Amino acid sequence: GGGNDKEVTVGAKNFTEQFILAKMTEIMLEENDFSVDMADNMGSTALRQALESGEVGVTWEYTGTGLITYNDEEPISEKDEAFEAIQSIDAEQDITWTNPSNIDNTYTLVMREADGEEKGIETISDLADYINENPEEMEFATDAEFGNREDGLPGVEETYGFEFGNSQVNEMSYGLNYEALNNEEVDVAMGHATDSRIEEYNLYNLEDDEQFFPSYHASVSMRTEVYEEYPEIEEILEPLSQELDGETMTGLNYQVDIEDENVDDVARNYLQENGFIE
Ligand code: PBE
């Protein structure tokens, strides 16, 4: 700290995992004499625009989101293949991808265990059959992003051949989807694979038997001018990105979403316990 001129803005979306990753990044960079501004609470598209405009310098982004949502590319399942594809496509837009982690935060469809067992629904194909036989019965909870993204509800419905009626689609802020399902206000909800509420509320992920959802490995995505000015950012974050995986991330999300700990404490404790900071 004090009188340094290495400045960077870290951006984040509007859910816990993003807050934690951004906070860890802030702490790690500050330890290395950066002064860091935070710009969080954005939807995916807003965050991408902020990165493109230069308002934000460094983010954690998901490979599948980069390919499908920002570049209209075909989804890719294999981790390294997806990373290398988005890395080369985004290079042309002055965005540099580094530090692929093993956090695969894919989208998922979730139901209550007991209800799914009763209805005999294990896979998304089972759900499609059920909905086609019982139209307008199943209520669905989603955030606006999943409801509208090509790699979200429209794509799932097209791939599996079913459709929720308009009045069955209940749009709400991300997070409330799990509450609505748990409270039996809806029967199916969208989810993020690393969200701890799935297990905590005895929900389960429907098997994506047509493999519609690709991989979404959290990786650092930054402006190329930031990368070129501060190539050390990649090195500073590398040990962290190597250590983080889906199970670890779900556990950190649990501390915030279920145990009500604050993001700053969770991020700092993790970094200390793993020897990334003192
Ligand atoms: N995801 C799942 C979404 C939200 C979590 C990674 C596909 C995204 O932020 O792009």
Side-chain angles (χ1 to χ4, degrees):
N4 61 57
D5 52 8
K6 303 207 294 182
E7 287 180 6
V8 69
T9 301
V10 174
K13 305 188 193 188
N14 48 11
F15 52 96
T16 300
E17 171 169 306
Q18 285 274 314
F19 299 148
I20 296 172
L21 290 171
K23 180 54 77 177
M24 287 177 172
T25 303
E26 179 185 17
I27 295 169
M28 297 284 282
L29 293 178
E30 282 176 353
E31 285 285 306
N32 287 276
D33 297 324
F34 281 83
S35 106
V36 178
D37 272 340
M38 189 72 92
D40 60 11
N41 242 327
M42 286 179 258
S44 290
T45 308
L47 179 61
R48 174 66 178 210
Q49 279 164 0
L51 189 63
E52 287 175 359
S53 71
E55 199 183 311
V56 159
V58 178
T59 66
W60 285 82
E61 190 50 88
Y62 304 92
T63 51
T65 304
L67 285 168
I68 303 163
T69 305
Y70 305 149
N71 287 291
D72 238 335
E73 292 285 328
E74 291 298 311
I76 298 176
S77 296
E78 208 277 318
K79 179 192 173 188
D80 297 332
E81 219 182 294
F83 180 78
E84 281 156 26
I86 186 60
Q87 194 177 42
S88 77
I89 289 163
D90 263 354
E92 285 162 40
Q93 300 170 67
D94 302 316
I95 291 175
T96 297
W97 285 68
T98 60
N99 310 93
S101 75
N102 278 321
I103 303 166
D104 182 9
N105 186 3
T106 187
Y107 276 130
T108 173
L109 293 188
V110 292
M111 288 181 63
R112 290 183 301 279
E113 264 166 19
D115 188 38
E117 217 158 285
E118 196 183 297
K119 295 190 168 81
I121 299 174
E122 281 176 25
T123 65
I124 304 180
S125 289
D126 293 339
L127 175 70
D129 290 344
Y130 188 92
I131 287 175
N132 288 326
E133 281 160 29
N134 306 275
E136 321 236 314
E137 183 194 304
M138 300 287 265
E139 293 284 326
F140 182 63
T142 183
D143 69 353
E145 206 170 304
F146 184 84
N148 293 291
R149 271 170 61 155
E150 204 34 58
D151 55 345
L153 185 60
V156 180
E157 288 180 328
E158 195 187 35
T159 301
Y160 284 93
F162 72 96
E163 214 171 321
F164 286 109
N166 278 340
S167 59
Q168 273 69 53
V169 177
N170 303 275
E171 214 172 275
M172 54 194 76
S173 297
Y174 180 75
L176 296 181
N177 48 315
Y178 304 106
E179 309 298 333
L181 190 54
N182 194 31
N183 297 334
E184 308 195 12
E185 288 155 26
V186 300
D187 310 291
V188 188
M190 55 78 69
H192 294 176
T194 55
D195 200 299
S196 63
R197 286 167 285 202
I198 298 173
E199 201 182 315
E200 181 68 13
Y201 295 164
N202 294 319
L203 311 175
Y204 70 104
N205 298 315
L206 304 194
E207 190 198 324
D208 179 20
D209 51 318
E210 298 282 348
Q211 290 171 303
F212 169 73
F213 297 115
S215 61
Y216 294 87
H217 288 91
S219 314
V220 173
S221 172
M222 61 181 135
R223 288 179 65 71
T224 298
E225 64 186 34
V226 171
Y227 174 72
E228 283 171 354
E229 194 172 354
Y230 308 120
E232 65 267 37
I233 293 178
E234 179 178 12
E235 287 150 44
I236 292 166
L237 297 176
E238 186 56 19
L240 174 63
S241 72
Q242 296 267 319
E243 192 67 25
L244 288 169
D245 60 18
E247 204 182 319
T248 307
M249 196 67 237
T250 306
L252 296 169
N253 289 335
Y254 179 91
Q255 292 175 33
V256 174
D257 288 330
I258 306 295
E259 296 185 318
D260 264 337
E261 291 184 43
N262 79 53
V263 169
D264 199 287
D265 291 344
V266 170
R268 205 169 285 280
N269 288 341
Y270 176 81
L271 294 177
Q272 276 167 349
E273 278 162 19
N274 287 277
F276 298 129
I277 58 169
E278 285 187 9

